[in-house]
Amino acid sequence: MELPFCESYKIKMIEQLNRSTREERIEWIKVAKYNLFKLTSDQVFIDLLTDSGTGAMSDRQWAAIMTGDESYAGARSFFELKNRITQLMSFEYVLPTHQGRAAENVLFSVLMKEGMVVPGNSHFDTTKGHIEFRRAKAIDCTIDEACDTSLNHPFKGNIDLEKLEKVYKEYPREMIPCCIVTVTCNTSGGQPVSIENLKAVYELSHKYGIPVLFDSARFAENAYFIKLREPAYKEWTIKQIVREMYKYADMATMSSKKDGLVNIGGFIATNNEEIYRKACTFNIMFEGYVTYGGMAGRDMAALAVGLDESTEFDYLETRIKQVEYLGNKLIEYGIPIQYPIGGHAIFVDATKFLPNVPKEQFIAQTLGIELYIEGGIRGVEIGTILADRDPETRQNRYPKLELLRLAIPRRVYTNNHMDYIAAALKNVYDRRFEINKGYEIVWEAPIMRHFTVELKKVV
Ligand code: F0G
């Protein structure tokens, strides 16, 4: 008999989960004003709100925590981290920050000013936020295939070179501070970018004198997909693929809360001394001195180990096969999800799932609430509430896709939890035609409303 796949680690420490009844959950979500962010974590049984900062550290990482060096300047833990990044990504200059958006804040303070344009594959919300905060504009150059959830394409995170060159021809060089490539592309569903595309983007950008920045949050998951899907790299180790990927980047920002396998942290890395020097000043102002930048020494030490572990094939195989396992179960049940299955999350197509809920009543949010009531599972709406209002007309913006994202934390849940999630979603799916009313907003903040919005049931 062929031996089945199983996890490449065992469990040393456990954390109790709180079970609850449907009646309790109906009451709790009402008190939370039907906003999943407002639930307390002990009201949640399985938490799929995000894969960011929610992973479990290894025994090696916990050991590193104990040996962390808390010196203000020149901490040994900083050099452990810096050396690991240099080894993996071949960058000489490293600045730690407290998380990914802080890296964006520091680096974009150096690179961007009003009126600039920043092309890339779909920019993540905070990346776009930091661009727009500086009155610059993000231009999405992702391939068109990414918008069709049912289409199978191995690298839906790829950049369309024609769209990119159009931007380079339309705007003067000095108005384009960089091209941002997000690996994997969160916004298009955790979809990878191929080496072929990274190389072509780099060559095209350099032809026009424009540097390339990798938003690296899930860089290791991207490397795993390259190994599986890009034939030339089939025999390469993940670490070799990562090094190859970063040949085509001039700088990187990182949210270490994902593929760093830690609960908090980020960094900037580059070989450009001038950019590094300028960024140092902003880092000192916003984050902390250049050898800790908002991170504790122990956290840098754990991150140095985390980056080593996340670039091992066995870890990545366990991780991504779990996401795939859940996705395949949902497909088996006929539930509409974004295809192919991405690296860190399943994206449920809420419009196809709940055909009777009008879009004005927040379809993906309605599905998120139903799933919570059904099984105590918390996902996150990637739909109209998140898309917010148009800043000028103040009308709701209706995005192309209404999605419920189920992000899977790293090394946290077992496949029995995946079975439970799939069954709960199937139960909601079986009664989908009875769900024909959604929610209306009773209070919202003027910006980033999804975190604090208050809703009530449409009756
Ligand atoms: N870039 C990408 C691609 C991200 O997914 C995130 C965060 C960031 C940057 C910002 O990093 O949170 O450390 O400040 N994504 C989380 C998510 C929040 O749930 O997808 P951060």
Side-chain angles (χ1 to χ4, degrees), residues 50 99-101 104 124 126 186 215 218 255 258 405:
T50 178
Q99 63 183 84
R101 67 200 72 181
E104 291 162 359
F124 181 66
T126 61
N186 187 0
D215 175 348
R218 300 177 181 86
S255 166
K258 286 86 167 171
R405 185 182 79 169

Side-chain angles (χ1 to χ4, degrees), residues 49-52 98-102 104 124 126-127 182-187 215-218 254-258 265-266 344 380 405 407:
L49 187 71
T50 178
D51 64 321
S52 180
H98 81 273
Q99 63 183 84
R101 67 200 72 181
E104 291 162 359
F124 181 66
T126 61
T127 320
T182 305
V183 288
T184 59
C185 189
N186 187 0
T187 312
D215 175 348
S216 308
R218 300 177 181 86
M254 173 73 182
S255 166
S256 305
K257 302 169 74 172
K258 286 86 167 171
H344 69 293
V380 73
R405 185 182 79 169

Side-chain angles (χ1 to χ4, degrees), residues 382-396:
I382 313 255
T384 306
I385 297 181
L386 180 76
D388 223 319
R389 291 178 188 276
D390 183 287
E392 267 141 43
T393 65
R394 298 307 296 157
Q395 295 301 308
N396 277 318

Side-chain angles (χ1 to χ4, degrees), residues 197-257:
N197 191 250
L198 292 175
K199 187 169 179 222
V201 166
Y202 183 82
E203 283 168 0
L204 181 66
S205 302
H206 277 235
K207 194 175 117 190
Y208 286 88
I210 291 154
V212 176
L213 162 65
F214 283 5
D215 175 348
S216 308
R218 300 177 181 86
F219 75 98
E221 292 175 2
N222 198 90
Y224 174 84
F225 284 119
I226 288 171
K227 184 172 169 72
L228 262 65
R229 296 181 187 171
E230 202 167 352
Y233 303 96
K234 193 168 166 254
E235 303 298 332
W236 292 38
T237 66
I238 297 294
K239 286 186 167 67
Q240 285 169 332
I241 295 172
V242 168
R243 248 191 310 278
E244 183 66 19
M245 281 167 60
Y246 280 85
K247 268 196 196 162
Y248 309 114
D250 299 285
M251 9 175 201
T253 51
M254 173 73 182
S255 166
S256 305
K257 302 169 74 172

Side-chain angles (χ1 to χ4, degrees), residues 72 78 95-99 102 265-266 283-284 286-296 300:
Y72 189 97
F78 167 74
L95 277 176
T97 61
H98 81 273
Q99 63 183 84
N283 215 60
I284 292 169
F286 300 152
E287 292 294 298
Y289 182 64
V290 298
T291 60
Y292 77 89
M295 291 186 78
M300 290 191 285

